[in-house]
Amino acid sequence: MSDKRRAKIAVLGSINMDLMIRSAKLPLPGETVIAETKVENPGGKGANQAVAAARMGAEVTMIGCVGDDSFAEELLQNLKAEGINTRYVTHKTDTTSGVAVVMVEMSGENAILVVPGANGLVGLAELEQARQVICESDVLLMQLEIPVETVIAAAKIAREAGVPVILDPAPAPAGFPAELLKVDLICPNQSETAALTGKPLTSLEDVVAAIPALVEQGPRQILVTLADQGAVLFDGEAVEIIPPFQIQAIDSTAAGDAFAAGLAVKLAERATLREAALFASAAGAIAASGAGAQTAMPDREQIETLITKQVQERFHE
């Protein structure tokens, strides 16, 4: 991509305030665990991916909704501070902004409770307002913390304009409409892939075997993330394993969001899917090695440095 032009990415999705709670372990049903710390940070899968893409060098427009509570202005100012266009973020009255309670144990594993709030009101009116920016983008990036019907309608707008659509199908929907996955690329994790295919997936081999079932549902290309096992890529013709980056996981909360943003940025820059997958895997690894969601999102230099380091280490093995 020329230095004179940044990739344009439209991100349609959720904007939350994350209440991050750390403890030695996650509570089991009916169990009370004494936590260690609580921190408030801007989050939401949509906003996380917007922030990550902006730090990677893209020109990002956020499309979504906030409420009329005390969090709304803080969430908007946070996006603006990252250089993100918030013109198409709508204030909804008589509702709260989205809130997520993120519980993280010392191993890095997490469990998340989400109150959608204004995110549940992102609808066709917001899409019409943002139609032009969607049609002028290099990539439309979406997730599923807003109404599924809105995601499907946005994909149609992008498709008719010839804009590639990337869907991070998280959280995985139950009984989803057939047209939901008719996009250019999906990037589920292992559990989301299991939910989408209705098959138990306990190994890398299981995921590879499940690719045809995903293809039948409509996506042209697929990237399944497998944490420390890397990723499984289907480029429309063949399946390939993308090796993992070796990092010390601290908090995996936003690793998937960094991965999705990395895909969007590199594909918007006309990279191959394999090149984009490598870049995205490095982005996800760095995010997992830091604490929090947006606070852990890497910039482009960090990602490229990690890729160079791994390539050199493998060359000398």
Side-chain angles (χ1 to χ4, degrees), residues 8-310:
K8 292 184 178 181
I9 296 175
V11 179
L12 171 65
S14 56
I15 305 169
N16 290 340
M17 182 60 76
D18 288 350
L19 308 181
M20 182 82 63
I21 299 172
R22 290 188 169 275
S23 62
K25 64 185 289 292
L26 297 178
L28 298 172
E31 180 184 17
T32 298
V33 174
I34 303 301
E36 298 176 6
T37 59
K38 186 212 74 161
V39 179
E40 293 182 5
N41 284 312
K45 295 191 72 62
N48 290 348
Q49 293 177 15
V51 167
R55 291 185 186 174
M56 294 172 195
E59 182 180 329
V60 181
T61 297
M62 183 76 218
I63 306 164
C65 294
V66 293
D68 58 1
D69 56 359
S70 60
F71 288 144
E73 191 58 32
E74 184 178 351
L75 292 170
L76 279 176
Q77 289 304 319
N78 175 71
L79 293 172
K80 291 176 181 178
E82 297 286 348
I84 295 165
N85 178 6
T86 61
R87 178 181 176 184
Y88 302 100
V89 176
T90 304
H91 282 267
K92 294 291 186 179
T93 58
D94 300 321
T95 189
T96 63
S97 298
V99 175
V101 179
V102 184
M103 297 175 286
V104 183
E105 69 178 23
M106 300 311 292
S107 69
E109 285 298 314
N110 66 80
I112 304 173
L113 290 170
V114 177
V115 180
N119 295 314
L121 302 178
V122 180
L124 300 184
E126 282 68 40
L127 294 186
E128 282 306 314
Q129 291 174 1
R131 178 181 286 270
Q132 183 174 350
V133 77
I134 292 172
C135 294
E136 293 176 351
S137 295
D138 295 311
V139 165
L140 171 63
L141 175 60
M142 302 186 288
Q143 324 76 35
L144 296 176
E145 288 184 338
I146 62 173
V148 168
E149 297 78 10
T150 306
V151 172
I152 292 171
K156 182 179 179 183
I157 290 172
R159 185 163 53 246
E160 291 174 349
V163 175
V165 178
I166 298 175
L167 175 64
D168 175 6
F176 59 93
E179 60 266 40
L180 179 63
L181 301 188
K182 289 178 169 48
V183 296
D184 295 278
L185 173 64
I186 61 170
C187 53
N189 63 22
Q190 185 170 336
S191 63
E192 290 153 4
T193 302
L196 293 172
T197 60
K199 299 179 180 180
L201 306 176
T202 60
S203 67
L204 179 63
E205 292 73 22
D206 288 344
V207 172
V208 171
I211 293 296
L214 274 179
V215 173
E216 288 178 2
Q217 296 183 51
R220 291 198 312 108
Q221 297 178 320
I222 299 164
L223 258 171
V224 180
T225 58
L226 298 167
D228 58 2
Q229 294 185 76
V232 175
L233 175 157
F234 174 72
D235 63 3
E237 296 181 358
V239 174
E240 181 180 353
I241 308 301
I242 303 298
F245 286 85
Q246 302 303 319
I247 52 92
Q248 179 63 48
I250 294 176
D251 180 359
S252 63
T253 302
D257 293 333
F259 186 94
L263 283 179
V265 170
K266 291 301 286 184
L267 291 175
E269 295 174 359
R270 305 297 184 259
T272 66
L273 183 57
R274 191 182 190 283
E275 291 168 340
L278 184 67
F279 184 87
S281 294
I286 295 170
S289 68
Q294 293 176 22
T295 53
M297 292 301 182
D299 60 29
R300 193 174 192 109
E301 183 178 359
Q302 290 174 293
I303 297 167
E304 292 177 345
T305 297
L306 180 58
I307 292 172
T308 300
K309 180 174 181 287
Q310 172 156 307

